[in-house]
């Protein structure tokens, strides 16, 4: 199979034109193609008057491929290497069923692989199934009555269920391909396999999550919603079971294997694990704000006269800079044509994030604008100090917003002038619990707001018009990643008071080993493999 890189076409080009362009590069007649597939597609919008789609394609031809390779430009034509996931052999002898705590991407992929290996995992998830959870979330947004167990952070599908379903990742692990192919198998559009900025949207994610659940159940796995891990039963440095709570009652389940795939917001569970002596350390994270512009405005900034072209979709952006304040500041988790959402999971604390549907056709586009926070900013060296810092910010925001989960928001112009907004301008806030004109400098640490102010001006130079005076800053975005890492040993099990704690596997974002849906899924696979390799 041959791989042809860097085929540049206009967004108007048809599939046939792509086919012909590929044939031209390798000087082969299109009728000699035995197979043809898109490997990668990206958008080059550096020249707004000449936006291009850039393709890499894989082709099998009815001709001598080595001769084609020899006579072609080595930078453009290479031998195609495909990745195929190699399942790990099950060496486990234990008679116990593994327990997986948390049914987010990490827990789901771990449960899926263990189910396929015949281990019938016992999953507990504190939140509700995704349909009930969707009602819980909308009820919160409408009535401001927060369900602290079933919300944007907790429930079937995990934290990313109400998101853009963006599947971009910075990790290099080839197992990510496995995550993508499973997503497609369970109902995601095929384009996620080749798009440079793959996304599925919250609407499609919900169905994918249900399909994964059905396969696990069909293989004998069990998924128990509304069940919260409250204790680990430990003896002689080995786990012997778990205690969980359902409807106010406590239950024990005997096991020798527990996967902690609890996400970055299960603060009560992390506190319980800390009290049990599980070794954890502080971890840098980021805080900041959402910035919201009209979608059509961002589309024009990015795509010029091609804005709105169906082959391009709603425009994305990704920027990073090092402002005078010295902290890396970057845009994150952009939601083109999306909504700013309230993502609280604790009473009296306000958390902001973003989501979009697959169509990305809402009025505004939003993105997080984040500043790195280092352990030296946490205030003390307690392993859980980062959580306390997050809580302080979220409490302040709740109070400033009027104590009913209305979000404080400020125009970019007022933020840069450090004056409290008294009204919003042309950009209407999309926040799901409403927004009130405020001064968000009252919520976030000064280091953070100084860096954001400088970054806005720097980013305005990278993308002229980004610091639109009426653009809205809604805060706080405080849960971008976990402020804690649970240390793992070389077989992925955790430590307790200087010894390895047999059978307990920290996994995914909450344990500090992932940042996003794809990397959490990959870590779930990694932990499933570690369990299958363990011969005890
Ligand atoms: C609003 C929002 C939008 C996002 N958008 C994107 C995006 O577009 N793309 C992207 O890549 N990432 C996105 N993320 C981040 C992404 O969701 C996370 O990185 C990912 O979900 C982490 O997966 P995880 O399985 O490690 O943890 P989680 O998804 O957080 O799952 C952990 C699960 O464990 C459960 N749990 C916790 N404690 C217990 C307990 N004691 N007992 C039982 N169950 C428990 C929780 O209820 C939860 O369902 C977004 C996050 C949010 C909040």
């Amino acid at each position: 199979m041959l791989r042809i890189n860097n085929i540049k076409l206009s967004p108007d080009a048809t599939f046939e034109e792509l086919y012909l362009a590929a044939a031209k590069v390798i000087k082969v007649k299109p009728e000699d193609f035995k197979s043809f597939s898109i490997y990668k597609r990206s958008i080059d919008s550096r020249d707004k008057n000449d936006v291009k789609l850039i393709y890499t394609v894989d082709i099998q031809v009815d001709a001598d491929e080595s001769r084609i390779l020899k006579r072609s430009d080595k930078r453009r034509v290479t031998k195609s290497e495909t990745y195929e996931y190699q399942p790990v052999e099950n060496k486990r002898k234990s008679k116990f069923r593994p327990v997986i705590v948390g049914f987010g991407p990490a827990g789901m992929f771990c449960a899926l692989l263990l189910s396929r290996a015949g281990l019938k995992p016992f999953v507990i998830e504190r939140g509700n199934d995704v349909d009930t959870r969707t009602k819980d979330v909308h009820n919160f947004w409408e009535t401001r009555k927060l369900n602290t167990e079933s919300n944007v952070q907790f429930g079937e599908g995990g934290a990313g269920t109400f998101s853009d379903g963006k599947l971009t990742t910075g990790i290099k692990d080839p197992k990510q391909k496995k995550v993508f192919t499973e997503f497609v198998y369970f109902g995601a559009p095929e384009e996620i396999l080749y798009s440079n900025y793959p996304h599925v949207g919250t609407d499609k994610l919900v169905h994918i999550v249900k399909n994964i659940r059905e396969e696990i159940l069909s293989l004998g796995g069990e998924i128990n919603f509304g069940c919260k891990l409250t204790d680990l039963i430990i003896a002689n440095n080995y786990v012997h079971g778990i205690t969980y709570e359902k409807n106010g009652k406590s239950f024990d389940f005997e096991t020798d294997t527990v996967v902690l795939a609890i996400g970055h917001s299960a603060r009560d569970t992390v506190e319980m694990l800390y009290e049990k002596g599980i070794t954890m350390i502080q971890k840098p994270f980021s805080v900041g704000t959402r910035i919201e512009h009209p979608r059509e405005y961002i589309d024009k900034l990015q795509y010029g006269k091609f804005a709105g072209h169906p082959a391009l979709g709603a425009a994305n952006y990704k920027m990073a800079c090092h402002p005078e304040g010295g902290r890396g500041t970057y845009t994150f988790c952009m939601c083109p044509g999306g909504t700013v959402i309230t993502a609280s999971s604790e009473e009296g604390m306000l958390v902001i994030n973003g989501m979009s549907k697959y169509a990305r056709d809402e009025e505004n586009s939003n993105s997080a604008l984040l500043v790195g926070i280092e352990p030296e900013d946490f205030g003390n060296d307690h392993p859980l100090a980062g959580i306390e810092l997050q809580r302080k910010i979220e409490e302040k925001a709740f109070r400033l917003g009027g104590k009913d989960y209305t979000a404080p928001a400020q125009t970019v112009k007022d933020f840069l002038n450090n004056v409290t907004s008294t009204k919003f301008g042309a950009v209407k806030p999309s926040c799901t619990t409403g927004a009130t004109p405020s001064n968000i400098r009252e919520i976030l640490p000064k280091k953070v707001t100084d860096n954001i102010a400088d970054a806005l001006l720097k980013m305005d130079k990278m993308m002229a018009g980004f610091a639109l005076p009426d653009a809205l800053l809604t805060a706080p975005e405080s849960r971008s990643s976990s402020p804690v890492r649970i240390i793992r040993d070389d077989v992925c099990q955790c430590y307790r008071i200087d010894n390895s704690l047999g059978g307990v596997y920290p996994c995914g974002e909450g344990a500090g080993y992932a940042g996003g849906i794809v990397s959490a899924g990959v870590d779930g696979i990694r932990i499933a493999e570690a369990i299958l390799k363990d011969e005890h």
Side-chain angles (χ1 to χ4, degrees):
M1 179 124 62
L2 299 170
R3 179 158 295 163
I4 308 176
N5 300 295
N6 206 20
I7 302 175
K8 292 188 188 177
L9 292 176
S10 144
D12 292 322
T14 60
F15 190 74
E16 197 189 350
E17 284 172 276
L18 172 62
Y19 208 76
L20 293 174
K24 202 170 159 196
V25 175
I26 53 172
K27 299 188 184 84
V28 166
K29 284 187 265 158
E31 47 277 27
D32 288 339
F33 287 3
K34 284 201 291 188
S35 73
F36 182 95
S37 59
I38 301 172
Y39 177 73
K40 204 98 231 138
R41 188 194 62 194
S42 56
I43 299 168
D44 182 352
S45 61
R46 284 170 296 181
D47 180 351
K48 310 295 172 216
N49 291 315
D50 192 21
V51 173
K52 290 273 190 256
L53 292 178
I54 316 285
Y55 289 92
T56 300
V57 297
D58 282 346
I59 302 178
Q60 274 184 310
V61 286
D62 206 0
D64 184 348
E65 290 190 350
S66 52
R67 281 188 57 199
I68 297 174
L69 275 169
K70 236 184 222 165
R71 67 165 193 248
S72 302
D73 178 346
K74 308 270 169 299
R75 287 163 305 178
R76 291 205 69 193
V77 187
T78 55
K79 213 167 154 35
S80 157
E81 284 176 18
T82 48
Y83 166 82
E84 229 173 86
Y85 178 71
Q86 297 301 327
V88 164
E89 192 191 337
N90 180 10
K91 299 215 165 134
R92 191 177 154 89
K93 298 188 189 88
S94 167
K95 63 177 173 135
F96 295 107
R97 292 167 72 184
V99 167
I100 296 171
V101 184
F103 202 59
M108 279 193 294
F109 273 88
C110 189
L112 183 65
L113 261 74
L114 294 183
S115 301
R116 286 180 181 165
L119 264 54
K120 299 184 172 40
F122 183 86
V123 179
I124 59 166
E125 165 54 60
R126 69 193 293 166
N128 285 327
D129 67 88
V130 74
D131 287 332
T132 314
R133 180 187 182 199
T134 302
K135 287 186 197 140
D136 297 334
V137 167
H138 285 272
N139 184 53
F140 167 53
W141 290 342
E142 279 151 30
T143 66
R144 322 286 174 102
K145 286 196 186 97
L146 176 68
N147 180 337
T148 54
E149 295 304 320
S150 185
N151 47 54
V152 171
Q153 308 290 349
F154 300 153
E156 186 179 21
T161 308
F162 301 92
S163 78
D164 178 58
K166 213 178 328 307
L167 300 177
T168 42
T169 176
I171 61 165
K172 301 277 176 262
D173 193 322
K175 288 188 187 76
Q176 63 180 275
K177 187 88 182 162
K178 170 81 174 154
V179 173
F180 281 97
T181 46
E182 292 294 353
F183 265 117
V184 171
Y185 174 73
F186 287 111
E190 283 219 5
E191 70 192 30
I192 66 163
L193 297 176
Y194 56 79
S195 169
N196 210 28
Y197 284 104
H199 87 111
V200 287
T202 181
D203 42 343
K204 291 201 188 298
L205 257 179
V206 166
H207 296 289
I208 294 166
V209 165
K210 284 191 212 171
N211 291 341
I212 295 178
R213 178 221 295 166
E214 287 312 311
E215 173 149 341
I216 293 168
L217 295 179
S218 74
L219 294 168
E222 210 175 305
I223 304 170
N224 303 280
F225 296 111
C227 294
K228 174 160 85 174
L229 175 81
T230 52
D231 203 0
L232 293 176
I233 302 165
I234 298 170
N236 303 323
N237 273 322
Y238 221 98
V239 70
H240 290 267
I242 59 157
T243 305
Y244 65 93
E245 228 174 65
K246 184 178 172 74
N247 297 330
K249 286 194 187 134
S250 212
F251 301 88
D252 286 349
F253 187 88
E254 200 178 354
T255 184
D256 56 5
T257 305
V258 178
V259 178
L260 297 171
I262 57 175
H264 59 33
S265 287
R267 293 165 171 171
D268 51 355
T269 309
V270 172
E271 283 159 358
M272 177 276 285
L273 295 170
Y274 179 75
E275 291 303 319
K276 298 287 302 179
I278 306 292
T279 308
M280 48 186 84
I281 56 168
Q282 297 183 337
K283 180 183 148 297
F285 63 101
S286 299
V287 295
T289 172
R290 279 268 141 187
I291 182 163
E292 193 166 22
H293 301 82
R295 170 173 50 88
E296 288 179 1
Y297 176 80
I298 292 292
D299 289 354
K300 281 213 179 79
L301 291 190
Q302 290 295 75
Y303 296 149
K305 65 175 186 183
F306 290 90
H309 194 292
L312 302 176
N316 229 309
Y317 58 78
K318 193 175 176 193
M319 292 182 278
C321 62
H322 279 275
E324 303 302 324
R327 287 297 163 90
T329 304
Y330 56 99
T331 64
F332 177 72
C333 193
M334 207 234 150
C335 297
T339 311
V340 172
I341 64 170
T342 312
S344 301
S345 58
E346 287 181 320
E347 293 279 8
M349 297 195 202
L350 185 78
V351 181
I352 294 302
N353 213 303
M355 75 172 194
S356 1
K357 292 193 184 128
Y358 177 66
R360 288 178 162 173
D361 56 0
E362 300 291 339
E363 197 175 324
N364 290 346
S365 289
N366 69 70
S367 168
L369 186 52
L370 299 180
V371 180
I373 293 277
E374 296 293 327
E376 70 199 58
D377 304 315
F378 290 5
N380 62 63
D381 55 9
H382 190 284
L384 306 189
I387 292 183
E388 283 319 305
L389 177 60
Q390 285 179 325
R391 276 192 172 129
K392 269 188 205 150
I393 293 170
E394 293 166 12
E395 272 169 7
K396 274 193 206 165
F398 179 73
R399 274 187 263 120
L400 189 65
K403 298 187 180 174
D404 64 355
Y405 298 99
T406 304
Q410 190 172 20
T411 63
V412 162
K413 181 178 167 204
D414 290 340
F415 176 76
L416 289 174
N417 293 329
N418 194 9
V419 294
T420 303
S421 283
T422 51
K423 59 181 172 45
F424 300 134
V427 182
K428 301 282 169 274
S430 68
C431 183
T432 50
T433 48
T436 182
S438 310
N439 188 346
I440 64 162
R441 288 182 192 252
E442 291 174 31
I443 309 167
L444 298 165
K446 186 169 179 321
K447 244 181 213 170
V448 171
T449 49
D450 284 352
N451 277 276
I452 290 177
D454 198 28
L456 278 167
L457 303 178
K458 285 199 161 65
M459 288 177 180
D460 195 59
K461 291 203 174 99
M462 297 176 200
M463 185 175 154
F466 182 69
L468 178 74
D470 275 357
L472 275 186
L473 301 171
T474 309
E477 175 110 2
S478 50
R479 308 262 186 103
S480 61
S481 70
S482 175
V484 166
R485 170 166 289 124
I486 305 179
I487 306 289
R488 297 201 293 222
D489 64 13
D490 56 351
V491 286
C492 296
Q493 301 182 15
C494 69
Y495 287 95
R496 180 168 175 260
I497 323 167
D498 296 338
N499 286 308
S500 286
L501 173 59
V504 178
Y505 295 84
C507 178
E509 171 122 34
Y513 297 94
I517 295 169
V518 173
S519 58
V522 166
D523 203 49
I525 295 173
R526 197 175 288 134
I527 294 302
E529 290 178 348
I531 292 169
L532 293 169
K533 282 181 199 161
D534 187 348
E535 296 188 25
H536 87 269

